[in-house]
Every structure is written in structure tokens, then in C-alpha cells.
């Protein structure tokens, strides 16, 4: 699913954002990626989605080799991934239904398949009754759930969520994580980027900690190593 070996990313201005990262995430896993601001989390995600290419090292995501992927292959890689952004990125003048259906139309799905699948994913995220409203009529938590439904609609093998709880209060954040757990139980691999320690600690999941571009901890069941190590 995800294989990174000795991956480094140095931006054009000389900033070393990721340094010799080695990482393996298998099908069906639920993983938190955490670390303080500027530690390299977004860079790592951009490397996985093919938005940027590593300076050195090897990255394979869903059988695509990111180091030498052709531009025309990137849309195919992206179809195997569902990405959820912190700022939702919903289309304001389209209904909830259309926001989700749009992602299926973009890959040429038929109307009948779209109707069936969109209803299924909206039901999964608990928004079937909000199908006809526009995003601005929803709460932050509901908007984030639309974004998750959209990420799921093309049945990706892997969901990557970048700070999905950034704009939510603690109760909504917990609800959202529980939803990701449910999606994971249905078979989708989940990678969640977050800096919310308390939230991560509530779940007995694998936690990868990045600091100063280096993976400094990778273990199941909490974030506790992080505070001791991140001063290093
Ligand atoms: P995080 O997501 O953990 O906050 P980032 O991956 O955004 O961390 O950033 C890691 C480091 O790389 C930081 O020092 C940041 O300033 C730098 N950085 C991020 N994007 C760029 C860029 N496009 N050009 C140069 N430096 C960047």
C-alpha cells in the first residue's frame, strides 16, 4: 500500500523538510501521523499524493512509483486515494448530493451508479437527510463529513486526511474519528495527520511521530513518546 525507503525532500530554497524517512503502511491499517508544526507532515502527504517528488529515496503508493510516475498517470494514482482536507474544499453553490456526485462524474461514472453510491456514502456519514442543502447551511462537523463522503465515493483503497479535526470542537472531533474507525472497519486504509495529542491518545492506534523531518517514533497505542523525544 505505502512503502517509503530512505525518502528525503529538500525544497528549492534548501529547506530539508523530510530526512531519510522509511515507512510501511499495509492494507487495512489505521495510522495517525503526528508532529509539531513545521515537522514535515504536509510534505510527507504531498509526497504520497504525487504533488511533489522526493529529492531522494523510493516511494510506492498503491503500486505507483512516485519517483518516476508520469504526469498522465497521476490522475490514476489519485483515484486510488481519497484525500480529506482541513478546509473541506466543498463547492458552495452545489448541494451536498452534488458535491459528492461531482467526484464520481469526474471519472465518468453512470448516473445510476452515482445515485446508488452517493446515497450509500451519505448514509454512512449520517447525512442522508441533508442531501439537498448547500454546504453553508451545515455545521463545521457536517461539512467535514461531506468532505469524507466525497473522498470515499470512488471507493479508494486509502484515505488520507490532513488535520481533519482542525476546525472542530473536541466532541465533534471524537465523533469524526469514530467515523474514520467505522470506515476502516469496512476495509479502507486510513492515514490521519493530526497534532491533537489528546485525540490520538483516545484511540489505540498506530502512531507515527515526525520531528524535524525525521520519523522519531512508530508504535501502536499512543503518543506518549512524543513529548520526551521532540526536544531532541
Ligand atoms: P507540517 O505540515 O508538519 O507543519 P511542512 O511539511 O509544511 O510541516 O513543513 C516542513 C518544513 O518545510 C518547514 O520548515 C516548512 O517551512 C518547509 N516548507 C514547506 N513547504 C515548503 C515549500 N514549498 N518551500 C520551501 N520550504 C517549505
Amino acid at each position: 500500500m505505502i512503502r517509503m525507503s530512505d525518502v528525503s525532500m529538500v525544497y528549492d530554497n534548501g529547506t530539508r523538510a523530510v530526512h531519510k524517512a522509511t515507512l510501511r503502511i499495509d492494507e487495512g491499517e489505521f495510522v495517525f501521523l503526528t508532529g509539531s508544526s513545521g515537522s514535515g507532515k504536509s510534505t510527507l502527504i504531498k509526497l504520497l499524493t504525487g504533488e511533489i517528488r522526493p529529492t531522494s529515496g523510493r516511494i510506492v503508493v498503491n503500486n505507483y512509483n512516485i519517483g518516476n510516475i508520469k504526469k498522465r498517470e497521476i490522475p490514476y494514482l489519485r483515484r486510488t486515494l481519497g484525500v480529506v482536507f482541513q478546509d473541506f474544499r466543498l463547492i458552495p453553490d452545489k448541494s451536498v448530493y452534488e458535491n459528492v456526485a461531482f467526484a464520481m462524474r469526474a471519472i465518468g461514472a453512470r448516473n445510476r451508479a452515482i445515485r446508488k453510491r452517493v446515497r450509500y456514502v451519505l448514509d454512512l456519514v449520517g447525512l442522508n437527510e441533508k442531501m439537498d442543502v448547500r454546504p453553508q447551511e451545515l455545521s463545521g462537523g457536517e461539512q467535514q463529513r461531506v468532505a469524507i463522503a466525497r473522498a470515499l465515493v470512488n471507493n479508494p483503497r486509502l484515505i488520507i486526511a490532513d488535520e481533519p479535526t482542525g476546525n472542530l470542537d473536541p466532541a465533534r472531533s471524537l465523533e469524526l474519528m469514530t467515523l474514520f474507525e467505522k470506515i476502516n472497519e469496512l476495509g479502507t486504509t486510513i492515514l490521519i495527520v493530526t497534532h491533537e495529542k489528546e485525540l490520538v491518545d483516545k484511540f489505540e492506534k498506530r502512531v507515527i511521530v515526525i520531528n524535524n523531518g525525521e520519523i522519531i517514533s512508530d508504535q501502536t497505542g499512543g503518543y506518549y513518546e512524543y513529548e520526551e523525544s521532540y526536544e531532541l
Side-chain angles (χ1 to χ4, degrees):
M1 174 129 299
I2 294 178
R3 301 275 181 273
M4 276 192 159
S5 38
D6 255 348
V7 170
S8 295
M9 177 68 206
V10 181
Y11 285 107
D12 290 344
N13 66 2
T15 305
R16 192 188 79 168
V18 172
H19 185 63
K20 294 198 169 173
T22 295
L23 175 66
R24 169 185 172 145
I25 297 177
D26 289 322
E27 192 106 39
E29 283 199 80
F30 187 121
V31 182
F32 285 115
L33 171 66
T34 193
S36 53
S37 177
S39 57
K41 302 183 297 297
S42 309
T43 301
L44 212 60
I45 296 306
K46 286 179 189 157
L47 287 166
L48 295 177
T49 59
E51 205 175 312
I52 55 177
R53 281 170 201 245
T55 311
S56 61
R58 184 178 151 83
I59 309 176
V60 179
V61 179
N62 293 338
N63 299 324
Y64 289 92
N65 187 334
I66 305 292
N68 60 17
I69 192 170
K70 295 189 177 66
K71 244 194 171 140
R72 61 182 163 76
E73 286 176 328
I74 289 181
Y76 295 99
L77 161 72
R78 297 266 169 86
R79 280 183 206 180
T80 70
L81 304 172
V83 183
V84 179
F85 303 96
Q86 178 177 356
D87 58 357
F88 319 137
R89 302 197 190 174
L90 301 175
I91 306 164
D93 57 354
K94 284 191 194 291
S95 68
V96 165
Y97 179 93
E98 276 306 319
N99 263 280
V100 178
F102 187 72
M104 277 187 90
R105 295 195 211 290
I107 64 160
R110 289 171 186 270
N111 277 332
R112 230 178 109 182
I114 293 175
R115 275 198 296 275
K116 201 169 154 200
R117 180 73 185 165
V118 173
R119 278 166 206 274
Y120 171 78
V121 291
L122 285 176
D123 197 39
L124 187 69
V125 302
L127 282 178
N128 45 354
E129 277 164 21
K130 302 277 183 176
M131 218 163 351
D132 299 321
V133 311
R134 292 181 184 203
Q136 67 265 32
E137 298 168 62
L138 300 174
S139 70
E142 287 169 338
Q143 290 185 39
Q144 189 55 295
R145 284 189 274 142
V146 178
I148 293 169
R150 183 187 51 195
L152 269 175
V153 79
N154 290 323
N155 204 13
R157 295 166 62 193
L158 169 68
I159 295 261
I160 297 176
D162 193 0
E163 298 280 1
T165 60
N167 295 311
L168 307 180
D169 63 53
R172 296 290 89 74
S173 297
L174 195 61
E175 241 174 56
L176 199 74
M177 287 302 171
T178 309
L179 174 61
F180 278 120
E181 248 187 337
K182 183 164 118 187
I183 292 166
N184 178 242
E185 279 158 17
L186 291 169
T188 310
T189 307
I190 308 274
L191 175 61
I192 297 180
V193 178
T194 180
H195 63 268
E196 293 187 64
K197 176 185 182 325
E198 289 78 24
L199 197 61
V200 169
D201 279 342
K202 288 199 172 73
F203 294 83
E204 285 282 303
K205 303 293 184 195
R206 178 174 169 196
V207 184
I208 297 171
V209 184
I210 183 170
N211 184 50
N212 227 341
E214 295 186 41
I215 293 173
I216 58 165
S217 166
D218 182 351
Q219 59 190 2
T220 300
Y223 196 21
Y224 41 84
E225 283 284 306
Y226 173 64
E227 280 182 321
E228 291 156 51
S229 321
Y230 102 113
E231 302 291 344
L232 294 176

